[in-house]
Amino acid sequence: MVKVVLAQKLLQANEEVAAENRRLLEEKGVVMVNLISGPGAGKTTLLERTLPLLKDKLGVAVIEGDIYTTRDAERIAGTGVEAVQINTRGACHLDAAMVNEALRQLPLNDLDIIFVENVGNLVCPAEFDLGDDYKIVVASVPEGMDKPAKYPLAFQKAFAALITKIDLLPYSDFNLGAYIEQLLTINPNLKIFPLSALKGEGVEEWSQFIGRVAWKRRRNLDVI
Ligand code: MG
Ligand code: ZN
């Protein structure tokens, strides 16, 4: 019982900082997108392919969450987009206070969209609000069919789902149609983008979508 109470307090404190982040971003006209996935789903590769398609039209930055390394932030910096690294030093998710620190290091007045690459984990990142506008869940073909059933909260809270590594479909028993059906059963409003960041298929559609959503969101237009 004590554990439950502590967890609730922790989440409540997190909510307060998340609300503060949300206020700050709204004031600055910046949309924050929180990418959530298990380890190895391809979030960083996806960003490496997405950022070049957005950075000439929108002010873009990335907040990289990682337990110990700066590898992903270095890869993002290679695209010419500013990246702030958060090392969680063991914690398996980002929280709103960590993101608040990162936001203070970014030129918010020049930005339209911030991508947050959360720590690779489908469990607690779904529970810790960062003050983001949208959660995007990323799941890859080699992870198999059962991620949505095993981690429904991440898929329920998501605005869009990206099914990555579809270039591996011919080598797998992954059934894309059945997977999409499963996603829509869990969350009927989910926007779904099958793509291959490696081969490029679907990346432009996804990039245009998220760019358009960010643009409309900050002008208070209906996003869909
Ligand atoms: Mg990564
Ligand atoms: Zn965690």
Side-chain angles (χ1 to χ4, degrees):
M1 278 322 249
V2 173
K3 271 186 187 163
V4 173
V5 172
L6 279 176
Q8 270 173 355
K9 271 193 180 162
L10 203 67
L11 283 171
Q12 200 181 338
N14 185 71
E15 285 302 314
E16 284 163 24
V17 184
E20 191 188 316
N21 290 349
R22 200 165 269 125
R23 263 196 309 278
L24 174 66
L25 291 165
E26 203 169 326
E27 181 195 313
K28 299 289 186 183
V30 186
V31 169
M32 190 160 77
V33 175
N34 180 3
L35 296 173
I36 296 173
S37 82
K43 296 187 295 301
T44 313
T45 305
L46 173 82
L47 284 172
E48 284 179 304
R49 299 303 155 108
T50 303
L51 300 172
L53 300 179
L54 295 177
K55 68 175 187 178
D56 295 335
K57 295 164 224 155
L58 296 166
V60 191
V62 175
I63 296 173
E64 275 293 334
D66 198 82
I67 298 180
Y68 294 111
T69 78
T70 57
R71 287 177 189 213
D72 289 356
E74 284 158 22
R75 286 171 61 190
I76 297 303
T79 68
V81 166
E82 186 165 356
V84 176
Q85 178 74 53
I86 301 171
N87 280 140
T88 63
R89 298 189 180 276
C92 49
H93 58 270
L94 292 176
D95 65 30
M98 296 174 194
V99 169
N100 188 277
E101 297 242 335
L103 289 176
R104 289 168 195 280
Q105 294 175 48
L106 286 169
L108 297 180
N109 289 325
D110 303 333
L111 296 178
D112 300 297
I113 182 164
I114 296 173
F115 290 97
V116 179
E117 181 178 338
N118 216 314
V119 177
N121 173 359
L122 275 172
V123 186
C124 22
E127 300 208 44
F128 280 79
D129 187 11
L130 305 180
D132 47 85
D133 293 273
Y134 302 106
K135 297 184 201 323
I136 308 286
V137 68
V138 183
S140 67
V141 166
E143 289 172 81
M145 296 286 288
D146 57 5
K147 285 288 182 293
K150 286 190 177 174
Y151 306 97
L153 188 65
F155 292 85
Q156 280 159 2
K157 288 198 168 178
F159 173 67
L162 310 185
I163 307 167
T164 53
K165 308 189 189 183
I166 57 165
D167 50 297
L168 298 178
L169 280 171
Y171 314 102
S172 125
D173 59 0
F174 192 95
N175 181 333
L176 187 59
Y179 194 78
I180 290 172
E181 241 172 74
Q182 202 190 147
L183 291 177
L184 291 173
T185 307
I186 291 172
N187 179 350
N189 298 316
L190 209 52
K191 317 296 175 291
I192 299 169
F193 295 88
L195 59 88
S196 165
L198 191 66
K199 306 284 180 191
E201 198 181 345
V203 174
E204 218 172 295
E205 288 86 339
W206 142 253
S207 301
Q208 279 176 8
F209 167 80
I210 198 65
R212 205 165 50 232
V213 162
W215 194 87
K216 287 186 174 177
R217 171 84 173 185
R218 280 299 165 249
R219 283 156 188 82
N220 294 316
L221 303 170
D222 287 340
V223 292
I224 295 306

Short mmCIF file of all heavy atoms in Angstrom, two decimals, residues 108-158:
data_model
loop_
_atom_site.label_atom_id
_atom_site.label_comp_id
_atom_site.label_asym_id
_atom_site.label_seq_id
_atom_site.Cartn_x
_atom_site.Cartn_y
_atom_site.Cartn_z
N LEU A 108 13.90 28.78 -27.28
CA LEU A 108 12.47 28.52 -27.51
C LEU A 108 11.83 29.54 -28.45
O LEU A 108 10.90 29.20 -29.19
CB LEU A 108 11.72 28.48 -26.17
CG LEU A 108 12.14 27.37 -25.21
CD1 LEU A 108 11.32 27.45 -23.92
CD2 LEU A 108 12.00 26.00 -25.85
N ASN A 109 12.34 30.78 -28.43
CA ASN A 109 11.74 31.80 -29.29
C ASN A 109 11.92 31.48 -30.77
O ASN A 109 11.16 31.95 -31.60
CB ASN A 109 12.35 33.17 -28.99
CG ASN A 109 11.89 33.68 -27.64
OD1 ASN A 109 10.76 33.45 -27.23
ND2 ASN A 109 12.78 34.35 -26.93
N ASP A 110 12.93 30.67 -31.09
CA ASP A 110 13.21 30.36 -32.50
C ASP A 110 12.60 29.03 -32.93
O ASP A 110 12.79 28.59 -34.06
CB ASP A 110 14.73 30.27 -32.73
CG ASP A 110 15.45 31.55 -32.33
OD1 ASP A 110 14.80 32.61 -32.38
OD2 ASP A 110 16.63 31.48 -31.96
N LEU A 111 11.92 28.34 -32.02
CA LEU A 111 11.48 26.97 -32.32
C LEU A 111 9.98 26.88 -32.57
O LEU A 111 9.19 27.65 -32.04
CB LEU A 111 11.86 26.04 -31.16
CG LEU A 111 13.36 25.87 -30.90
CD1 LEU A 111 13.58 24.95 -29.70
CD2 LEU A 111 14.09 25.32 -32.12
N ASP A 112 9.62 25.91 -33.41
CA ASP A 112 8.22 25.55 -33.63
C ASP A 112 7.90 24.18 -33.07
O ASP A 112 6.77 23.91 -32.65
CB ASP A 112 7.91 25.54 -35.14
CG ASP A 112 8.16 26.89 -35.77
OD1 ASP A 112 7.47 27.85 -35.38
OD2 ASP A 112 9.05 27.01 -36.64
N ILE A 113 8.88 23.29 -33.13
CA ILE A 113 8.61 21.91 -32.72
C ILE A 113 9.84 21.30 -32.02
O ILE A 113 10.97 21.51 -32.46
CB ILE A 113 8.16 21.06 -33.94
CG1 ILE A 113 7.83 19.63 -33.54
CG2 ILE A 113 9.19 21.05 -35.05
CD1 ILE A 113 7.01 18.89 -34.61
N ILE A 114 9.58 20.64 -30.91
CA ILE A 114 10.64 19.93 -30.19
C ILE A 114 10.25 18.45 -30.13
O ILE A 114 9.15 18.11 -29.67
CB ILE A 114 10.80 20.46 -28.74
CG1 ILE A 114 11.26 21.91 -28.76
CG2 ILE A 114 11.79 19.59 -27.95
CD1 ILE A 114 11.29 22.56 -27.37
N PHE A 115 11.14 17.61 -30.62
CA PHE A 115 10.94 16.17 -30.47
C PHE A 115 11.68 15.71 -29.22
O PHE A 115 12.85 16.05 -29.02
CB PHE A 115 11.52 15.41 -31.67
CG PHE A 115 10.74 15.60 -32.94
CD1 PHE A 115 11.14 16.54 -33.89
CD2 PHE A 115 9.60 14.84 -33.19
CE1 PHE A 115 10.42 16.72 -35.06
CE2 PHE A 115 8.88 15.01 -34.37
CZ PHE A 115 9.29 15.95 -35.30
N VAL A 116 11.00 14.95 -28.39
CA VAL A 116 11.64 14.34 -27.23
C VAL A 116 11.79 12.86 -27.53
O VAL A 116 10.79 12.17 -27.81
CB VAL A 116 10.79 14.50 -25.96
CG1 VAL A 116 11.47 13.82 -24.77
CG2 VAL A 116 10.54 15.98 -25.67
N GLU A 117 13.02 12.36 -27.54
CA GLU A 117 13.21 10.91 -27.64
C GLU A 117 13.29 10.37 -26.23
O GLU A 117 14.28 10.57 -25.52
CB GLU A 117 14.47 10.56 -28.44
CG GLU A 117 14.62 9.04 -28.54
CD GLU A 117 15.81 8.55 -29.35
OE1 GLU A 117 16.34 9.31 -30.19
OE2 GLU A 117 16.20 7.39 -29.15
N ASN A 118 12.24 9.72 -25.80
CA ASN A 118 12.20 9.20 -24.43
C ASN A 118 13.14 8.01 -24.30
O ASN A 118 13.62 7.46 -25.28
CB ASN A 118 10.76 8.82 -24.07
CG ASN A 118 10.43 9.10 -22.62
OD1 ASN A 118 11.20 8.78 -21.73
ND2 ASN A 118 9.28 9.72 -22.38
N VAL A 119 13.40 7.59 -23.07
CA VAL A 119 14.19 6.39 -22.82
C VAL A 119 13.45 5.19 -23.41
O VAL A 119 12.22 5.12 -23.32
CB VAL A 119 14.40 6.21 -21.30
CG1 VAL A 119 15.17 4.94 -21.00
CG2 VAL A 119 15.11 7.42 -20.71
N GLY A 120 14.18 4.27 -24.03
CA GLY A 120 13.56 3.11 -24.65
C GLY A 120 12.88 2.21 -23.62
O GLY A 120 13.54 1.48 -22.90
N ASN A 121 11.56 2.32 -23.55
CA ASN A 121 10.80 1.63 -22.50
C ASN A 121 9.33 1.93 -22.79
O ASN A 121 8.96 3.09 -22.96
CB ASN A 121 11.23 2.23 -21.14
CG ASN A 121 10.42 1.74 -19.96
OD1 ASN A 121 9.49 0.94 -20.11
ND2 ASN A 121 10.76 2.23 -18.79
N LEU A 122 8.51 0.91 -22.86
CA LEU A 122 7.10 1.15 -23.18
C LEU A 122 6.22 1.26 -21.93
O LEU A 122 5.02 1.45 -22.03
CB LEU A 122 6.55 0.01 -24.07
CG LEU A 122 6.78 0.15 -25.58
CD1 LEU A 122 6.37 -1.13 -26.29
CD2 LEU A 122 6.00 1.33 -26.16
N VAL A 123 6.83 1.15 -20.74
CA VAL A 123 6.02 1.13 -19.52
C VAL A 123 5.86 2.54 -18.94
O VAL A 123 4.89 3.24 -19.22
CB VAL A 123 6.58 0.14 -18.48
CG1 VAL A 123 5.64 0.03 -17.29
CG2 VAL A 123 6.78 -1.23 -19.12
N CYS A 124 6.85 2.99 -18.13
CA CYS A 124 6.63 4.26 -17.42
C CYS A 124 6.63 5.52 -18.29
O CYS A 124 5.96 6.48 -17.91
CB CYS A 124 7.53 4.43 -16.21
SG CYS A 124 9.00 3.47 -16.21
N PRO A 125 7.33 5.58 -19.42
CA PRO A 125 7.16 6.79 -20.23
C PRO A 125 5.70 7.08 -20.58
O PRO A 125 5.33 8.24 -20.79
CB PRO A 125 7.99 6.48 -21.49
CG PRO A 125 9.07 5.60 -20.99
CD PRO A 125 8.38 4.70 -19.98
N ALA A 126 4.87 6.06 -20.60
CA ALA A 126 3.44 6.28 -20.87
C ALA A 126 2.75 6.95 -19.69
O ALA A 126 1.71 7.58 -19.84
CB ALA A 126 2.76 4.96 -21.20
N GLU A 127 3.33 6.82 -18.50
CA GLU A 127 2.70 7.35 -17.29
C GLU A 127 3.19 8.74 -16.90
O GLU A 127 2.50 9.47 -16.21
CB GLU A 127 2.96 6.41 -16.11
CG GLU A 127 2.42 5.02 -16.37
CD GLU A 127 2.06 4.33 -15.08
OE1 GLU A 127 1.45 4.99 -14.22
OE2 GLU A 127 2.40 3.15 -14.95
N PHE A 128 4.42 9.07 -17.29
CA PHE A 128 4.99 10.35 -16.88
C PHE A 128 4.77 11.40 -17.96
O PHE A 128 5.43 11.41 -18.99
CB PHE A 128 6.49 10.19 -16.58
CG PHE A 128 6.75 9.61 -15.22
CD1 PHE A 128 6.63 8.24 -15.01
CD2 PHE A 128 7.06 10.43 -14.15
CE1 PHE A 128 6.83 7.69 -13.75
CE2 PHE A 128 7.27 9.89 -12.88
CZ PHE A 128 7.15 8.53 -12.68
N ASP A 129 3.82 12.29 -17.70
CA ASP A 129 3.55 13.39 -18.60
C ASP A 129 4.75 14.33 -18.59
O ASP A 129 5.28 14.65 -17.53
CB ASP A 129 2.28 14.11 -18.14
CG ASP A 129 1.83 15.17 -19.13
OD1 ASP A 129 2.37 15.20 -20.26
OD2 ASP A 129 0.93 15.95 -18.78
N LEU A 130 5.17 14.79 -19.76
CA LEU A 130 6.31 15.71 -19.83
C LEU A 130 5.86 17.14 -20.11
O LEU A 130 6.68 18.05 -20.14
CB LEU A 130 7.28 15.24 -20.93
CG LEU A 130 7.78 13.80 -20.81
CD1 LEU A 130 8.71 13.47 -21.96
CD2 LEU A 130 8.46 13.56 -19.46
N GLY A 131 4.55 17.31 -20.32
CA GLY A 131 4.04 18.60 -20.78
C GLY A 131 4.00 18.64 -22.30
O GLY A 131 3.88 19.70 -22.90
N ASP A 132 4.10 17.47 -22.90
CA ASP A 132 4.09 17.37 -24.36
C ASP A 132 2.68 17.60 -24.90
O ASP A 132 1.69 17.41 -24.21
CB ASP A 132 4.59 15.98 -24.79
CG ASP A 132 3.94 14.86 -24.01
OD1 ASP A 132 2.84 14.42 -24.38
OD2 ASP A 132 4.53 14.44 -22.97
N ASP A 133 2.63 18.00 -26.18
CA ASP A 133 1.34 18.13 -26.87
C ASP A 133 0.88 16.79 -27.40
O ASP A 133 -0.33 16.53 -27.45
CB ASP A 133 1.48 19.10 -28.04
CG ASP A 133 1.76 20.52 -27.57
OD1 ASP A 133 0.80 21.25 -27.30
OD2 ASP A 133 2.95 20.87 -27.43
N TYR A 134 1.84 15.99 -27.84
CA TYR A 134 1.49 14.70 -28.46
C TYR A 134 2.47 13.63 -28.03
O TYR A 134 3.67 13.85 -28.01
CB TYR A 134 1.53 14.81 -30.00
CG TYR A 134 0.61 15.87 -30.54
CD1 TYR A 134 1.11 17.07 -31.04
CD2 TYR A 134 -0.77 15.68 -30.54
CE1 TYR A 134 0.27 18.05 -31.53
CE2 TYR A 134 -1.62 16.66 -31.03
CZ TYR A 134 -1.09 17.84 -31.52
OH TYR A 134 -1.93 18.81 -31.99
N LYS A 135 1.91 12.45 -27.74
CA LYS A 135 2.75 11.27 -27.56
C LYS A 135 2.65 10.44 -28.84
O LYS A 135 1.55 10.23 -29.36
CB LYS A 135 2.26 10.44 -26.37
CG LYS A 135 2.35 11.21 -25.06
CD LYS A 135 1.96 10.34 -23.89
CE LYS A 135 1.55 11.15 -22.67
NZ LYS A 135 2.28 12.38 -22.40
N ILE A 136 3.80 10.04 -29.33
CA ILE A 136 3.84 9.22 -30.53
C ILE A 136 4.48 7.89 -30.13
O ILE A 136 5.61 7.88 -29.62
CB ILE A 136 4.71 9.87 -31.64
CG1 ILE A 136 4.28 11.32 -31.91
CG2 ILE A 136 4.70 9.02 -32.90
CD1 ILE A 136 3.01 11.51 -32.66
N VAL A 137 3.77 6.80 -30.35
CA VAL A 137 4.34 5.50 -29.99
C VAL A 137 4.97 4.88 -31.23
O VAL A 137 4.42 4.97 -32.33
CB VAL A 137 3.27 4.60 -29.32
CG1 VAL A 137 2.19 4.19 -30.28
CG2 VAL A 137 3.89 3.37 -28.67
N VAL A 138 6.16 4.34 -31.03
CA VAL A 138 6.91 3.76 -32.15
C VAL A 138 7.11 2.27 -31.86
O VAL A 138 7.59 1.91 -30.78
CB VAL A 138 8.29 4.46 -32.29
CG1 VAL A 138 9.05 3.91 -33.49
CG2 VAL A 138 8.12 5.97 -32.40
N ALA A 139 6.70 1.43 -32.79
CA ALA A 139 6.89 -0.02 -32.61
C ALA A 139 7.35 -0.60 -33.94
O ALA A 139 6.83 -0.24 -35.00
CB ALA A 139 5.60 -0.68 -32.14
N SER A 140 8.34 -1.49 -33.88
CA SER A 140 8.94 -1.98 -35.12
C SER A 140 8.47 -3.40 -35.45
O SER A 140 8.06 -4.16 -34.57
CB SER A 140 10.47 -1.97 -34.99
OG SER A 140 10.88 -2.90 -34.02
N VAL A 141 8.57 -3.73 -36.72
CA VAL A 141 8.17 -5.06 -37.19
C VAL A 141 8.88 -6.19 -36.43
O VAL A 141 8.22 -7.13 -35.98
CB VAL A 141 8.38 -5.16 -38.72
CG1 VAL A 141 8.32 -6.60 -39.21
CG2 VAL A 141 7.36 -4.28 -39.44
N PRO A 142 10.23 -6.13 -36.23
CA PRO A 142 10.87 -7.25 -35.53
C PRO A 142 10.45 -7.43 -34.08
O PRO A 142 10.70 -8.49 -33.49
CB PRO A 142 12.37 -6.94 -35.62
CG PRO A 142 12.51 -5.63 -36.26
CD PRO A 142 11.20 -5.18 -36.79
N GLU A 143 9.80 -6.44 -33.48
CA GLU A 143 9.32 -6.61 -32.10
C GLU A 143 8.10 -7.52 -32.03
O GLU A 143 7.69 -7.93 -30.94
CB GLU A 143 8.96 -5.25 -31.49
CG GLU A 143 10.17 -4.38 -31.20
CD GLU A 143 9.74 -2.98 -30.79
OE1 GLU A 143 9.38 -2.79 -29.63
OE2 GLU A 143 9.74 -2.09 -31.67
N GLY A 144 7.49 -7.78 -33.18
CA GLY A 144 6.38 -8.74 -33.20
C GLY A 144 5.03 -8.09 -32.98
O GLY A 144 4.91 -6.88 -32.83
N MET A 145 4.03 -8.93 -32.94
CA MET A 145 2.64 -8.50 -32.98
C MET A 145 2.07 -8.11 -31.62
O MET A 145 1.00 -7.53 -31.54
CB MET A 145 1.76 -9.62 -33.55
CG MET A 145 2.06 -10.00 -34.99
SD MET A 145 1.47 -8.77 -36.17
CE MET A 145 -0.31 -9.03 -36.08
N ASP A 146 2.76 -8.47 -30.52
CA ASP A 146 2.04 -8.40 -29.23
C ASP A 146 2.35 -7.17 -28.38
O ASP A 146 1.85 -7.06 -27.25
CB ASP A 146 2.24 -9.69 -28.43
CG ASP A 146 3.70 -9.99 -28.19
OD1 ASP A 146 4.55 -9.14 -28.56
OD2 ASP A 146 4.00 -11.06 -27.63
N LYS A 147 3.12 -6.22 -28.89
CA LYS A 147 3.42 -5.02 -28.09
C LYS A 147 2.14 -4.25 -27.69
O LYS A 147 1.99 -3.88 -26.52
CB LYS A 147 4.38 -4.09 -28.82
CG LYS A 147 5.82 -4.58 -28.84
CD LYS A 147 6.45 -4.46 -27.48
CE LYS A 147 7.91 -4.90 -27.46
NZ LYS A 147 8.11 -6.33 -27.70
N PRO A 148 1.21 -4.00 -28.61
CA PRO A 148 0.01 -3.25 -28.22
C PRO A 148 -0.80 -3.97 -27.13
O PRO A 148 -1.32 -3.32 -26.23
CB PRO A 148 -0.80 -3.14 -29.52
CG PRO A 148 0.22 -3.31 -30.60
CD PRO A 148 1.25 -4.25 -30.07
N ALA A 149 -0.88 -5.29 -27.21
CA ALA A 149 -1.65 -6.03 -26.21
C ALA A 149 -0.94 -6.03 -24.86
O ALA A 149 -1.58 -5.96 -23.80
CB ALA A 149 -1.88 -7.47 -26.68
N LYS A 150 0.41 -6.06 -24.89
CA LYS A 150 1.15 -6.13 -23.62
C LYS A 150 1.33 -4.77 -22.96
O LYS A 150 1.48 -4.68 -21.75
CB LYS A 150 2.53 -6.75 -23.86
CG LYS A 150 2.49 -8.24 -24.09
CD LYS A 150 3.88 -8.81 -24.07
CE LYS A 150 3.84 -10.31 -24.23
NZ LYS A 150 5.20 -10.87 -24.35
N TYR A 151 1.38 -3.71 -23.78
CA TYR A 151 1.61 -2.35 -23.24
C TYR A 151 0.52 -1.41 -23.73
O TYR A 151 0.81 -0.42 -24.41
CB TYR A 151 3.00 -1.85 -23.67
CG TYR A 151 4.11 -2.79 -23.32
CD1 TYR A 151 4.62 -3.68 -24.26
CD2 TYR A 151 4.63 -2.81 -22.03
CE1 TYR A 151 5.63 -4.57 -23.93
CE2 TYR A 151 5.65 -3.68 -21.69
CZ TYR A 151 6.14 -4.57 -22.64
OH TYR A 151 7.14 -5.44 -22.31
N PRO A 152 -0.74 -1.70 -23.41
CA PRO A 152 -1.84 -0.94 -24.01
C PRO A 152 -1.81 0.55 -23.66
O PRO A 152 -2.21 1.38 -24.48
CB PRO A 152 -3.10 -1.62 -23.46
CG PRO A 152 -2.65 -2.40 -22.27
CD PRO A 152 -1.22 -2.76 -22.52
N LEU A 153 -1.32 0.92 -22.46
CA LEU A 153 -1.40 2.32 -22.04
C LEU A 153 -0.66 3.25 -23.01
O LEU A 153 -1.17 4.31 -23.37
CB LEU A 153 -0.83 2.47 -20.62
CG LEU A 153 -1.04 3.85 -19.99
CD1 LEU A 153 -2.52 4.13 -19.78
CD2 LEU A 153 -0.27 3.99 -18.69
N ALA A 154 0.53 2.83 -23.44
CA ALA A 154 1.31 3.66 -24.36
C ALA A 154 0.53 3.89 -25.65
O ALA A 154 0.55 5.00 -26.22
CB ALA A 154 2.65 2.99 -24.66
N PHE A 155 -0.17 2.87 -26.11
CA PHE A 155 -0.92 2.99 -27.36
C PHE A 155 -2.22 3.77 -27.15
O PHE A 155 -2.67 4.49 -28.03
CB PHE A 155 -1.18 1.61 -27.95
CG PHE A 155 0.08 0.93 -28.42
CD1 PHE A 155 0.87 0.20 -27.53
CD2 PHE A 155 0.50 1.05 -29.73
CE1 PHE A 155 2.05 -0.40 -27.94
CE2 PHE A 155 1.68 0.45 -30.16
CZ PHE A 155 2.46 -0.27 -29.26
N GLN A 156 -2.81 3.63 -25.96
CA GLN A 156 -4.04 4.38 -25.66
C GLN A 156 -3.77 5.87 -25.57
O GLN A 156 -4.58 6.69 -25.98
CB GLN A 156 -4.65 3.89 -24.34
CG GLN A 156 -5.45 2.62 -24.50
CD GLN A 156 -5.61 1.86 -23.18
OE1 GLN A 156 -5.15 2.31 -22.13
NE2 GLN A 156 -6.24 0.71 -23.24
N LYS A 157 -2.62 6.23 -25.00
CA LYS A 157 -2.32 7.65 -24.79
C LYS A 157 -1.75 8.32 -26.02
O LYS A 157 -1.60 9.54 -26.05
CB LYS A 157 -1.34 7.80 -23.63
CG LYS A 157 -1.99 7.53 -22.29
CD LYS A 157 -1.14 8.10 -21.20
CE LYS A 157 -1.87 8.11 -19.87
NZ LYS A 157 -1.00 8.63 -18.80
N ALA A 158 -1.39 7.53 -27.02
CA ALA A 158 -0.70 8.08 -28.19
C ALA A 158 -1.67 8.77 -29.13
O ALA A 158 -2.83 8.39 -29.26
CB ALA A 158 0.06 6.98 -28.91
#
